[in-house]
Amino acid sequence: MNNINGIEIPRSHPRLKSLLIRDRLITGFNNGLVAHQGLMAHGRGEAFDYLLGEKSMKHTKSAIKTASAILFLAKLPVISVNGNVAALCPKEIVRLSHIINAKIEVNLFYNTKKRKKAIADSLKKCGAKDILGIETKSRKHIENLDSMRRVVDENGIYKADVVLVPLEDGDRCIKLKQLGKTIITFDLNPFSRTSQTADITIIDNIVRGITELINTSQKMSNKNDKYLRKIVNAFDNKKNIAMSVLQINNNLIRNIINYE
Ligand code: ATP
Ligand code: MG
């Protein structure tokens, strides 16, 4: 049995995993990490997860392997964290940052000082030492970006050559790309502007995909640059996204046949 808000959910419940993930978000919301709108953004993700079959796909593994290679090749990799990411997988984000030697920066669309601090504190509780995006001294603005996501840290996203932007907003993804940065994202929606713009689009629920990225990075940590570059050169992001769309298509066709 699993307990959510005092209500027992049987282990056999077919939506158990999904309900437990929702509960992480609600806890994050109650602790001041997640914005109201973050709950809805999660709903959009869930809908696509349903269509994708709620499991990691084979071809996603090659996106993850390539992401890992790019992160190891980077001079200054940064992981951008928002409220949903902090609520869903804070320990994993910190663990990944240690393995790939990346900085962590808090960057919010619905930006408040209070929420930024709550997110930074929760990441510190998980073992992060330095969290960027909080200090006002090193604050910089990304030009021609209207949302509050334009506020970045001079020593983080501003200077980074590679940015991991999970559950990202399309506006900023496009701007970061225009600034010449290599962008990696986790996004369940293969049609979002973020998915379509990023260099590496990992179409998976971050809750599942982040563990795969950690495990892959552990295995890749002793590989040389030549080996890593070969992986990057062989990867085709558009093709990889198309395979996810095909997966949705196949799942839809299968269900139509099942109900006939
Ligand atoms: P875009 O701005 O890129 O066109 P959007 O406006 O639809 O996309 P946002 O609300 O800006 O989306 O960002 C949230 C994105 O994160 C959505 O594409 C959603 O599908 C995705 N998402 C939500 N929850 C998860 C999750 N747990 N794992 C992976 N992706 C998720
Ligand atoms: Mg958006």
Side-chain angles (χ1 to χ4, degrees), residues 13 15 63 93 138 163 169 177 216 219 244 246 257:
H13 193 291
R15 317 282 327 133
I93 290 291
S138 49
V163 195
D169 175 54
K177 278 284 301 161
T216 305
K219 283 183 209 148
S244 294
L246 210 63
I257 292 166

Side-chain angles (χ1 to χ4, degrees), residues 181-230:
K181 299 176 195 299
T182 301
I183 304 297
I184 302 164
T185 191
F186 280 94
D187 195 327
L188 278 160
N189 177 4
F191 307 106
S192 76
R193 289 170 308 155
T194 305
S195 282
Q196 298 282 335
T197 316
D199 295 282
I200 311 295
T201 307
I202 303 167
I203 300 181
D204 201 0
N205 196 317
I206 190 167
V207 173
R208 295 188 299 263
I210 192 89
T211 306
E212 178 69 22
L213 181 55
I214 289 171
N215 294 341
T216 305
S217 298
Q218 263 169 338
K219 283 183 209 148
M220 303 255 285
S221 60
N222 60 356
K223 303 291 184 201
N224 62 34
D225 285 8
K226 195 177 162 203
Y227 178 93
L228 298 172
R229 276 203 197 93
K230 213 171 153 190

